[in-house]
Amino acid sequence: MDLWVIATPPDDVTPWLHKLATMARPDAVINDCASAKEMLCDTTPATIGARFVGGHPMAGLHIHGLENAKVGLFEHAHWILTPTDADPDAIRRVEQLVYALDATPVHMSPEEHD
């Protein structure tokens, strides 16, 4: 099972979701890292549906660029997951990624997050 992570500026997530709806394998799980969830979850293409697990790692720096990369950025960070109608296997797949990065998954609705 493929796992796609969309880590782009928030305005670019929806176009990528629509591209992946046609490009990704039918069993691929798709996660995003955008800071806004409610509108994004509402506009997720139906063809992705249960394979989409919204996410927002609560880690990061206010400075940009590769030269500012930080080893262990996600260690001990909360990673918000807003799975809405996601399949339990898709949720588990994203949780495995979160744990592999030493972060902690926290489930909430898109409304609670925003």
Side-chain angles (χ1 to χ4, degrees), residues 51-77:
R51 298 180 295 136
F52 176 70
V53 180
H56 182 200
M58 303 304 288
L61 304 172
H62 291 92
I63 50 178
H64 303 282
L66 188 56
E67 66 277 4
N68 296 307
K70 178 183 172 192
V71 173
L73 177 66
F74 301 113
E75 288 179 10
H76 310 295

PDB file of all heavy atoms in Angstrom, residues 51-77:
ATOM      1  N   ARG A  51      -9.625   6.887   1.778  1.00  0.00           N
ATOM      2  CA  ARG A  51      -8.165   6.760   1.766  1.00  0.00           C
ATOM      3  C   ARG A  51      -7.472   8.028   2.242  1.00  0.00           C
ATOM      4  O   ARG A  51      -6.261   8.059   2.402  1.00  0.00           O
ATOM      5  CB  ARG A  51      -7.670   6.418   0.360  1.00  0.00           C
ATOM      6  CG  ARG A  51      -8.204   5.097  -0.139  1.00  0.00           C
ATOM      7  CD  ARG A  51      -7.708   4.776  -1.535  1.00  0.00           C
ATOM      8  NE  ARG A  51      -8.215   5.744  -2.499  1.00  0.00           N
ATOM      9  CZ  ARG A  51      -7.464   6.296  -3.466  1.00  0.00           C
ATOM     10  NH1 ARG A  51      -6.202   5.977  -3.604  1.00  0.00           N
ATOM     11  NH2 ARG A  51      -7.992   7.166  -4.305  1.00  0.00           N
ATOM     12  N   PHE A  52      -8.231   9.107   2.472  1.00  0.00           N
ATOM     13  CA  PHE A  52      -7.644  10.377   2.892  1.00  0.00           C
ATOM     14  C   PHE A  52      -7.693  10.515   4.403  1.00  0.00           C
ATOM     15  O   PHE A  52      -8.748  10.358   5.024  1.00  0.00           O
ATOM     16  CB  PHE A  52      -8.384  11.553   2.250  1.00  0.00           C
ATOM     17  CG  PHE A  52      -7.875  12.887   2.724  1.00  0.00           C
ATOM     18  CD1 PHE A  52      -6.626  13.331   2.355  1.00  0.00           C
ATOM     19  CD2 PHE A  52      -8.644  13.675   3.551  1.00  0.00           C
ATOM     20  CE1 PHE A  52      -6.139  14.557   2.789  1.00  0.00           C
ATOM     21  CE2 PHE A  52      -8.185  14.902   4.001  1.00  0.00           C
ATOM     22  CZ  PHE A  52      -6.926  15.341   3.617  1.00  0.00           C
ATOM     23  N   VAL A  53      -6.535  10.802   4.983  1.00  0.00           N
ATOM     24  CA  VAL A  53      -6.434  11.063   6.419  1.00  0.00           C
ATOM     25  C   VAL A  53      -5.778  12.433   6.560  1.00  0.00           C
ATOM     26  O   VAL A  53      -4.579  12.588   6.308  1.00  0.00           O
ATOM     27  CB  VAL A  53      -5.588   9.990   7.142  1.00  0.00           C
ATOM     28  CG1 VAL A  53      -5.499  10.302   8.630  1.00  0.00           C
ATOM     29  CG2 VAL A  53      -6.161   8.600   6.904  1.00  0.00           C
ATOM     30  N   GLY A  54      -6.586  13.417   6.936  1.00  0.00           N
ATOM     31  CA  GLY A  54      -6.038  14.753   7.130  1.00  0.00           C
ATOM     32  C   GLY A  54      -5.067  14.769   8.295  1.00  0.00           C
ATOM     33  O   GLY A  54      -5.238  14.051   9.277  1.00  0.00           O
ATOM     34  N   GLY A  55      -4.043  15.589   8.183  1.00  0.00           N
ATOM     35  CA  GLY A  55      -3.048  15.657   9.251  1.00  0.00           C
ATOM     36  C   GLY A  55      -2.410  17.025   9.352  1.00  0.00           C
ATOM     37  O   GLY A  55      -2.427  17.803   8.393  1.00  0.00           O
ATOM     38  N   HIS A  56      -1.867  17.311  10.511  1.00  0.00           N
ATOM     39  CA  HIS A  56      -1.145  18.556  10.725  1.00  0.00           C
ATOM     40  C   HIS A  56      -0.114  18.340  11.825  1.00  0.00           C
ATOM     41  O   HIS A  56      -0.457  18.322  13.007  1.00  0.00           O
ATOM     42  CB  HIS A  56      -2.106  19.680  11.121  1.00  0.00           C
ATOM     43  CG  HIS A  56      -1.423  20.993  11.302  1.00  0.00           C
ATOM     44  ND1 HIS A  56      -1.995  22.009  12.032  1.00  0.00           N
ATOM     45  CD2 HIS A  56      -0.232  21.472  10.870  1.00  0.00           C
ATOM     46  CE1 HIS A  56      -1.171  23.052  12.040  1.00  0.00           C
ATOM     47  NE2 HIS A  56      -0.101  22.739  11.336  1.00  0.00           N
ATOM     48  N   PRO A  57       1.157  18.152  11.438  1.00  0.00           N
ATOM     49  CA  PRO A  57       2.193  18.022  12.467  1.00  0.00           C
ATOM     50  C   PRO A  57       2.384  19.357  13.179  1.00  0.00           C
ATOM     51  O   PRO A  57       2.536  20.388  12.536  1.00  0.00           O
ATOM     52  CB  PRO A  57       3.435  17.623  11.683  1.00  0.00           C
ATOM     53  CG  PRO A  57       3.160  18.003  10.267  1.00  0.00           C
ATOM     54  CD  PRO A  57       1.678  18.051  10.089  1.00  0.00           C
ATOM     55  N   MET A  58       2.316  19.306  14.483  1.00  0.00           N
ATOM     56  CA  MET A  58       2.458  20.529  15.273  1.00  0.00           C
ATOM     57  C   MET A  58       3.943  20.733  15.604  1.00  0.00           C
ATOM     58  O   MET A  58       4.379  20.681  16.752  1.00  0.00           O
ATOM     59  CB  MET A  58       1.617  20.441  16.553  1.00  0.00           C
ATOM     60  CG  MET A  58       0.139  20.170  16.291  1.00  0.00           C
ATOM     61  SD  MET A  58      -0.639  21.360  15.188  1.00  0.00           S
ATOM     62  CE  MET A  58      -0.712  22.782  16.240  1.00  0.00           C
ATOM     63  N   ALA A  59       4.684  20.923  14.551  1.00  0.00           N
ATOM     64  CA  ALA A  59       6.130  21.129  14.655  1.00  0.00           C
ATOM     65  C   ALA A  59       6.530  22.026  13.497  1.00  0.00           C
ATOM     66  O   ALA A  59       5.842  22.095  12.490  1.00  0.00           O
ATOM     67  CB  ALA A  59       6.865  19.792  14.555  1.00  0.00           C
ATOM     68  N   GLY A  60       7.602  22.668  13.627  1.00  0.00           N
ATOM     69  CA  GLY A  60       8.054  23.502  12.523  1.00  0.00           C
ATOM     70  C   GLY A  60       8.759  24.729  13.028  1.00  0.00           C
ATOM     71  O   GLY A  60       8.764  25.027  14.221  1.00  0.00           O
ATOM     72  N   LEU A  61       9.351  25.390  12.092  1.00  0.00           N
ATOM     73  CA  LEU A  61      10.101  26.596  12.393  1.00  0.00           C
ATOM     74  C   LEU A  61       9.498  27.738  11.591  1.00  0.00           C
ATOM     75  O   LEU A  61       8.858  27.515  10.566  1.00  0.00           O
ATOM     76  CB  LEU A  61      11.572  26.399  12.006  1.00  0.00           C
ATOM     77  CG  LEU A  61      12.267  25.187  12.644  1.00  0.00           C
ATOM     78  CD1 LEU A  61      13.648  24.993  12.039  1.00  0.00           C
ATOM     79  CD2 LEU A  61      12.376  25.376  14.143  1.00  0.00           C
ATOM     80  N   HIS A  62       9.711  28.926  12.043  1.00  0.00           N
ATOM     81  CA  HIS A  62       9.192  30.087  11.324  1.00  0.00           C
ATOM     82  C   HIS A  62      10.188  30.603  10.299  1.00  0.00           C
ATOM     83  O   HIS A  62       9.992  31.660   9.715  1.00  0.00           O
ATOM     84  CB  HIS A  62       8.816  31.196  12.318  1.00  0.00           C
ATOM     85  CG  HIS A  62       7.625  30.818  13.131  1.00  0.00           C
ATOM     86  ND1 HIS A  62       7.723  30.194  14.346  1.00  0.00           N
ATOM     87  CD2 HIS A  62       6.306  30.925  12.883  1.00  0.00           C
ATOM     88  CE1 HIS A  62       6.519  29.948  14.816  1.00  0.00           C
ATOM     89  NE2 HIS A  62       5.640  30.388  13.947  1.00  0.00           N
ATOM     90  N   ILE A  63      11.270  29.856  10.105  1.00  0.00           N
ATOM     91  CA  ILE A  63      12.251  30.206   9.086  1.00  0.00           C
ATOM     92  C   ILE A  63      12.210  29.129   8.014  1.00  0.00           C
ATOM     93  O   ILE A  63      11.891  27.982   8.283  1.00  0.00           O
ATOM     94  CB  ILE A  63      13.657  30.358   9.700  1.00  0.00           C
ATOM     95  CG1 ILE A  63      14.011  29.152  10.572  1.00  0.00           C
ATOM     96  CG2 ILE A  63      13.740  31.625  10.522  1.00  0.00           C
ATOM     97  CD1 ILE A  63      15.390  29.205  11.177  1.00  0.00           C
ATOM     98  N   HIS A  64      12.489  29.505   6.794  1.00  0.00           N
ATOM     99  CA  HIS A  64      12.329  28.607   5.660  1.00  0.00           C
ATOM    100  C   HIS A  64      13.680  28.257   5.053  1.00  0.00           C
ATOM    101  O   HIS A  64      14.680  28.890   5.335  1.00  0.00           O
ATOM    102  CB  HIS A  64      11.439  29.259   4.589  1.00  0.00           C
ATOM    103  CG  HIS A  64      10.100  29.653   5.101  1.00  0.00           C
ATOM    104  ND1 HIS A  64       9.086  28.756   5.285  1.00  0.00           N
ATOM    105  CD2 HIS A  64       9.613  30.856   5.501  1.00  0.00           C
ATOM    106  CE1 HIS A  64       8.018  29.385   5.752  1.00  0.00           C
ATOM    107  NE2 HIS A  64       8.319  30.657   5.902  1.00  0.00           N
ATOM    108  N   GLY A  65      13.660  27.260   4.204  1.00  0.00           N
ATOM    109  CA  GLY A  65      14.841  26.899   3.428  1.00  0.00           C
ATOM    110  C   GLY A  65      15.545  25.674   3.978  1.00  0.00           C
ATOM    111  O   GLY A  65      15.504  25.383   5.177  1.00  0.00           O
ATOM    112  N   LEU A  66      16.180  24.953   3.081  1.00  0.00           N
ATOM    113  CA  LEU A  66      16.889  23.731   3.441  1.00  0.00           C
ATOM    114  C   LEU A  66      17.985  23.980   4.468  1.00  0.00           C
ATOM    115  O   LEU A  66      18.233  23.152   5.341  1.00  0.00           O
ATOM    116  CB  LEU A  66      17.474  23.094   2.170  1.00  0.00           C
ATOM    117  CG  LEU A  66      18.076  21.718   2.307  1.00  0.00           C
ATOM    118  CD1 LEU A  66      17.063  20.729   2.890  1.00  0.00           C
ATOM    119  CD2 LEU A  66      18.579  21.225   0.970  1.00  0.00           C
ATOM    120  N   GLU A  67      18.609  25.138   4.395  1.00  0.00           N
ATOM    121  CA  GLU A  67      19.688  25.457   5.332  1.00  0.00           C
ATOM    122  C   GLU A  67      19.183  25.551   6.776  1.00  0.00           C
ATOM    123  O   GLU A  67      19.962  25.518   7.724  1.00  0.00           O
ATOM    124  CB  GLU A  67      20.414  26.752   4.931  1.00  0.00           C
ATOM    125  CG  GLU A  67      19.575  28.003   5.026  1.00  0.00           C
ATOM    126  CD  GLU A  67      18.680  28.271   3.818  1.00  0.00           C
ATOM    127  OE1 GLU A  67      18.633  27.449   2.888  1.00  0.00           O
ATOM    128  OE2 GLU A  67      17.995  29.312   3.829  1.00  0.00           O
ATOM    129  N   ASN A  68      17.861  25.655   6.961  1.00  0.00           N
ATOM    130  CA  ASN A  68      17.275  25.739   8.299  1.00  0.00           C
ATOM    131  C   ASN A  68      16.626  24.436   8.741  1.00  0.00           C
ATOM    132  O   ASN A  68      15.893  24.423   9.730  1.00  0.00           O
ATOM    133  CB  ASN A  68      16.247  26.872   8.339  1.00  0.00           C
ATOM    134  CG  ASN A  68      16.898  28.218   8.107  1.00  0.00           C
ATOM    135  OD1 ASN A  68      17.843  28.571   8.786  1.00  0.00           O
ATOM    136  ND2 ASN A  68      16.428  28.937   7.112  1.00  0.00           N
ATOM    137  N   ALA A  69      16.886  23.353   8.014  1.00  0.00           N
ATOM    138  CA  ALA A  69      16.319  22.053   8.380  1.00  0.00           C
ATOM    139  C   ALA A  69      16.786  21.648   9.778  1.00  0.00           C
ATOM    140  O   ALA A  69      17.888  21.995  10.202  1.00  0.00           O
ATOM    141  CB  ALA A  69      16.741  20.996   7.361  1.00  0.00           C
ATOM    142  N   LYS A  70      15.926  20.927  10.472  1.00  0.00           N
ATOM    143  CA  LYS A  70      16.231  20.538  11.853  1.00  0.00           C
ATOM    144  C   LYS A  70      16.095  19.027  11.998  1.00  0.00           C
ATOM    145  O   LYS A  70      15.026  18.458  11.742  1.00  0.00           O
ATOM    146  CB  LYS A  70      15.259  21.235  12.808  1.00  0.00           C
ATOM    147  CG  LYS A  70      15.453  20.869  14.253  1.00  0.00           C
ATOM    148  CD  LYS A  70      14.405  21.543  15.136  1.00  0.00           C
ATOM    149  CE  LYS A  70      14.508  20.997  16.544  1.00  0.00           C
ATOM    150  NZ  LYS A  70      13.360  21.385  17.346  1.00  0.00           N
ATOM    151  N   VAL A  71      17.162  18.385  12.410  1.00  0.00           N
ATOM    152  CA  VAL A  71      17.120  16.953  12.684  1.00  0.00           C
ATOM    153  C   VAL A  71      16.181  16.724  13.865  1.00  0.00           C
ATOM    154  O   VAL A  71      16.203  17.460  14.846  1.00  0.00           O
ATOM    155  CB  VAL A  71      18.536  16.419  13.017  1.00  0.00           C
ATOM    156  CG1 VAL A  71      18.471  14.973  13.469  1.00  0.00           C
ATOM    157  CG2 VAL A  71      19.455  16.574  11.827  1.00  0.00           C
ATOM    158  N   GLY A  72      15.317  15.724  13.757  1.00  0.00           N
ATOM    159  CA  GLY A  72      14.417  15.408  14.857  1.00  0.00           C
ATOM    160  C   GLY A  72      13.269  16.381  15.013  1.00  0.00           C
ATOM    161  O   GLY A  72      12.689  16.493  16.097  1.00  0.00           O
ATOM    162  N   LEU A  73      12.900  17.064  13.948  1.00  0.00           N
ATOM    163  CA  LEU A  73      11.849  18.082  14.006  1.00  0.00           C
ATOM    164  C   LEU A  73      10.562  17.563  14.643  1.00  0.00           C
ATOM    165  O   LEU A  73       9.905  18.275  15.391  1.00  0.00           O
ATOM    166  CB  LEU A  73      11.547  18.596  12.592  1.00  0.00           C
ATOM    167  CG  LEU A  73      10.424  19.610  12.455  1.00  0.00           C
ATOM    168  CD1 LEU A  73      10.806  20.916  13.156  1.00  0.00           C
ATOM    169  CD2 LEU A  73      10.137  19.869  10.989  1.00  0.00           C
ATOM    170  N   PHE A  74      10.204  16.302  14.352  1.00  0.00           N
ATOM    171  CA  PHE A  74       8.927  15.774  14.816  1.00  0.00           C
ATOM    172  C   PHE A  74       9.004  15.055  16.161  1.00  0.00           C
ATOM    173  O   PHE A  74       7.969  14.639  16.688  1.00  0.00           O
ATOM    174  CB  PHE A  74       8.334  14.838  13.761  1.00  0.00           C
ATOM    175  CG  PHE A  74       8.111  15.520  12.447  1.00  0.00           C
ATOM    176  CD1 PHE A  74       8.850  15.159  11.337  1.00  0.00           C
ATOM    177  CD2 PHE A  74       7.183  16.535  12.319  1.00  0.00           C
ATOM    178  CE1 PHE A  74       8.647  15.788  10.119  1.00  0.00           C
ATOM    179  CE2 PHE A  74       6.976  17.172  11.111  1.00  0.00           C
ATOM    180  CZ  PHE A  74       7.717  16.799  10.007  1.00  0.00           C
ATOM    181  N   GLU A  75      10.200  14.894  16.714  1.00  0.00           N
ATOM    182  CA  GLU A  75      10.338  14.183  17.983  1.00  0.00           C
ATOM    183  C   GLU A  75       9.479  14.832  19.065  1.00  0.00           C
ATOM    184  O   GLU A  75       9.566  16.034  19.296  1.00  0.00           O
ATOM    185  CB  GLU A  75      11.795  14.169  18.438  1.00  0.00           C
ATOM    186  CG  GLU A  75      12.665  13.251  17.620  1.00  0.00           C
ATOM    187  CD  GLU A  75      14.116  13.275  18.069  1.00  0.00           C
ATOM    188  OE1 GLU A  75      14.423  13.853  19.135  1.00  0.00           O
ATOM    189  OE2 GLU A  75      14.941  12.705  17.339  1.00  0.00           O
ATOM    190  N   HIS A  76       8.636  14.029  19.685  1.00  0.00           N
ATOM    191  CA  HIS A  76       7.767  14.443  20.792  1.00  0.00           C
ATOM    192  C   HIS A  76       6.704  15.470  20.390  1.00  0.00           C
ATOM    193  O   HIS A  76       6.081  16.071  21.261  1.00  0.00           O
ATOM    194  CB  HIS A  76       8.584  14.962  21.979  1.00  0.00           C
ATOM    195  CG  HIS A  76       9.689  14.043  22.383  1.00  0.00           C
ATOM    196  ND1 HIS A  76       9.452  12.788  22.897  1.00  0.00           N
ATOM    197  CD2 HIS A  76      11.033  14.160  22.297  1.00  0.00           C
ATOM    198  CE1 HIS A  76      10.608  12.193  23.139  1.00  0.00           C
ATOM    199  NE2 HIS A  76      11.578  12.999  22.777  1.00  0.00           N
ATOM    200  N   ALA A  77       6.527  15.669  19.100  1.00  0.00           N
ATOM    201  CA  ALA A  77       5.505  16.614  18.633  1.00  0.00           C
ATOM    202  C   ALA A  77       4.154  15.912  18.552  1.00  0.00           C
ATOM    203  O   ALA A  77       4.084  14.700  18.345  1.00  0.00           O
ATOM    204  CB  ALA A  77       5.882  17.158  17.257  1.00  0.00           C
TER     205      ALA A  77
END
